[in-house]
Amino acid sequence: MSPESTGQNKHNLTVYRRGFRTWRGNRPFWAGLFTMLGGAPIAYFPYADLQLGNMTLAMSTTAGAGSLIIGVLLITLGLTMWFHSIVRVFAGVAAILLALISIPVANIGGFVIGFLLSLIGGALSISWAPGEPQPEEEAPHTAPLDKRQPESEYAEGALHGATVPPQQPGDHGTASGYGTASGYDGGTHRAG
């Protein structure tokens, strides 16, 4: 093999990794993952035969079909969060409700593991919001310090940094400069 072939593979891996990162960032990825991971133990434990040494634990109950339905629905909701993120709030609420129903139906919610994972996934799905693209801002136009704008720009009506000139005391219509409409009476108190 030539040394160039490893660089090509490394480039493809980087492209796929960046593409996956972009895909993951546009949807509630972690919410869907937690919801699917929560649905797996809820659906699995009622049909599993756990062996502890020489003892076999059969967890099959009369509600085995109910726990299978809850587990499959949770996995479906997790996939819905990934591939149809517009209904993320509905999927999150449904995942939380199914996680709560799994406590009495499916062996205490898949030994609390499935319940907690589904609950966290549903909450993450409800709270996730798509990011808004940042508007491209242009760099502010600044003139070099040594080149100042000519005074003619100010004369033409461009008010760059202009402030309102302070009023003179004689501008208010009375000899002292303050009228009765202004509320200023020379420091005396009106009450007495």
Side-chain angles (χ1 to χ4, degrees):
M1 295 189 79
S2 67
E4 291 84 21
S5 64
T6 58
Q8 181 67 25
N9 291 338
K10 184 177 178 182
H11 173 70
N12 286 339
L13 185 62
T14 303
V15 169
Y16 293 135
R17 186 175 53 91
R18 287 183 183 163
F20 176 70
R21 184 186 306 166
T22 302
W23 178 83
R24 186 184 70 196
N26 292 333
R27 62 202 76 247
F29 176 78
W30 293 107
L33 184 66
F34 279 125
T35 303
M36 286 187 287
L37 289 177
I42 290 173
Y44 174 74
F45 284 137
Y47 295 101
D49 289 332
L50 303 174
Q51 294 198 2
L52 299 173
N54 293 332
M55 184 171 59
T56 301
L57 286 170
M59 297 301 297
S60 59
T61 62
T62 57
S67 61
L68 180 66
I69 291 171
I70 290 172
V72 168
L73 282 175
L74 284 170
I75 292 171
T76 304
L77 287 171
L79 290 171
T80 301
M81 291 173 198
W82 276 4
F83 296 108
H84 198 65
S85 63
I86 193 85
V87 293
R88 68 187 178 279
V89 175
F90 167 76
V93 170
I96 289 173
L97 290 175
L98 286 172
L100 290 171
I101 291 171
S102 74
I103 291 175
V105 172
N107 296 325
I108 311 171
F111 297 121
V112 183
I113 297 168
F115 165 72
L116 288 177
L117 288 173
S118 298
L119 202 65
I120 291 170
L124 286 174
S125 178
I126 291 172
S127 65
W128 185 83
E132 296 179 6
Q134 295 291 331
E136 294 184 20
E137 296 181 16
E138 294 181 14
H141 178 69
T142 56
L145 294 177
D146 57 346
K147 294 183 180 179
R148 297 190 180 191
Q149 296 175 349
E151 293 293 326
S152 63
E153 285 187 67
Y154 295 110
E156 293 175 1
L159 299 176
H160 298 287
T163 60
V164 176
Q167 295 182 352
Q168 300 297 326
D171 291 344
H172 296 287
T174 63
S176 66
Y178 298 100
T180 57
S182 69
Y184 179 77
D185 59 354
T188 62
H189 195 282
R190 290 181 188 239

